[in-house]
Amino acid sequence: MAAKFSSRSATETGRAIVDLVRSSGVISRVELAERSGLTGASISRTVKRLLDDGLLVETGQGDPTGGKRRTLLELNTQGRYAVGVSVDDARLTYVLINLRGQVVGQLTSGGAGPAEPQVVVRRMAKEVMGLLKRHRVRSVRDVTGIGVAIPGRLDARGHSMRASREATDWEQYALESALGEATGLPVTLEHDYVCAALGEFWVGRIPATADFICFYAATGFGGGIVLEGEVYRGASANAGEIGHMTLDVDGPLCWCGSRGCLEAFAGPRTVVAKALARREVATRLGLTGAPQDLRADFASIAAAAVAQDADCSALVQESARYVSAAVLSLTNVMDLDRVILSGPAFAEAGPLYLSAAQEAVSTLSFMRQVHPVTIELSQLGLSSAAVGAATVALDENLLAPAGPPAEPAGERAPLTASRRRRSRALG
């Protein structure tokens, strides 16, 4: 581990020491030196800075070992907070986390829907401040920032690009700077599926050395890929667009311009369209077919399918068959031993998708005789992306000076692909 720590900057070293304290619960300076490979002097300097910054606190002394008893350190859970927001058409989910990644506050409100971005941002700012006040966060200076989980692609400036077949006012909207101006806090945008993977990692269910994919389903599909504790980004920080995996080169046209994409075969939009084509089913479930009701329509179909409605079960099972083929392909190509199904669509019809994916992988995986592959549903429910977004904000700004950015709102450096690439899955 010494080599891993020795080449880091002071900020990176401080962040890594915070991670070691987080994973240990309580730890002494001597143990930090042993685990990091850093010298006692380096540990002393770093710990002093972290104590001065309010990130660590001294918490008594360890057991006697024949010499001077060691002073123990732990995270100051009231020293810093971060806010995570998951944005989609159906709902906005907010979480407030402390330095340990523990959720200390949560809020759900109506989704972005067809509202103009400026209107949604004003509401988001109000709801963020309400969340902080409700949970008695003394000052915004105690908040490292806001992480926002969004669907679709990000360009090099961190702007959201087209995420559906309908172009909207959100296209190229500078959400990061707008929300930053409205709250006075640093804002970091991240893919919802990456945030979901970080959320799974953060809560401690995934070993630090594990390779896994968080297969995220909302109105489309995405995959947060974590390899040895690092998020895999790709050339433009947009790796993980599983929904546009081609399953049939002569298949149906997808909104992205290609044919035979997973979303075209199995996405919630396709499931709803097929249900609407059956008038009796659409009437019985009260489906509207309106774009803004896509998630609600799919939820109605999913609930009926789980309740063993024959028509709806057939529709969801067909979708699950294509999803399981995609999961199988991912495990074969990347030699994975773990896939987590997360997101609203899987929260609504998870058992059906889980069963199909488990059967496909257990019987057809190329490596099934070498190692087992675990397919599981997320235990974080609808909050996984928001929790992950909060950890991104915590990690990005943890050792920055507390409080609002010094430069005027709107003049901060843009979120670049290289900056996003540094986000880590913390242990």
Side-chain angles (χ1 to χ4, degrees), residues 374-387:
T374 299
I375 313 293
E376 58 189 322
L377 290 173
S378 170
Q379 299 301 307
L380 292 177
L382 295 174
S383 66
S384 61
V387 171

Side-chain angles (χ1 to χ4, degrees), residues 245-396:
M245 176 188 298
T246 300
L247 301 184
D248 182 352
V249 294
D250 296 317
L253 184 67
C254 180
W255 67 265
C256 73
S258 185
R259 286 189 175 275
C261 293
L262 174 62
E263 282 190 21
F265 277 116
R269 189 185 306 275
T270 299
V271 174
V272 170
K274 290 182 177 181
L276 289 169
R278 303 182 183 185
R279 181 169 299 180
E280 186 275 329
V281 174
T283 301
R284 173 159 48 87
L285 298 180
L287 307 182
T288 72
Q292 65 269 24
D293 293 334
L294 172 62
R295 289 275 299 279
D297 285 349
F298 179 80
S300 296
I301 297 167
V306 172
Q308 299 184 334
D309 176 278
D311 294 321
C312 294
S313 180
L315 290 173
V316 174
Q317 291 285 6
E318 182 181 12
S319 170
R321 185 165 62 90
Y322 286 109
V323 167
S324 64
V327 170
L328 176 62
S329 296
L330 290 168
T331 60
N332 284 342
V333 169
M334 301 188 69
D335 191 20
L336 298 170
D337 60 7
R338 186 186 297 264
V339 177
I340 299 172
L341 306 181
S342 179
F346 290 141
E348 292 152 354
L352 300 179
Y353 285 96
L354 177 65
S355 176
Q358 287 177 330
E359 181 178 1
V361 170
S362 64
T363 58
L364 300 174
S365 170
F366 188 70
M367 292 296 177
R368 63 187 181 278
Q369 294 180 327
V370 178
H371 64 79
V373 180
T374 299
I375 313 293
E376 58 189 322
L377 290 173
S378 170
Q379 299 301 307
L380 292 177
L382 295 174
S383 66
S384 61
V387 171
T391 70
V392 170
L394 196 63
D395 186 40
E396 282 280 330

Side-chain angles (χ1 to χ4, degrees), residues 30 37 86 100 112 148 150 188 198-200 253 263-264 344 358 377 416:
V30 172
S86 176
R100 286 199 182 127
V148 182
I150 60 170
T188 305
L198 291 170
E200 296 293 336
L253 184 67
E263 282 190 21
Q358 287 177 330
L377 290 173
T416 63

Side-chain angles (χ1 to χ4, degrees), residues 114-127:
E116 294 182 352
Q118 297 87 339
V119 174
V120 177
V121 166
R122 285 196 295 270
R123 175 160 65 90
M124 289 172 66
K126 182 178 180 181
E127 290 172 341

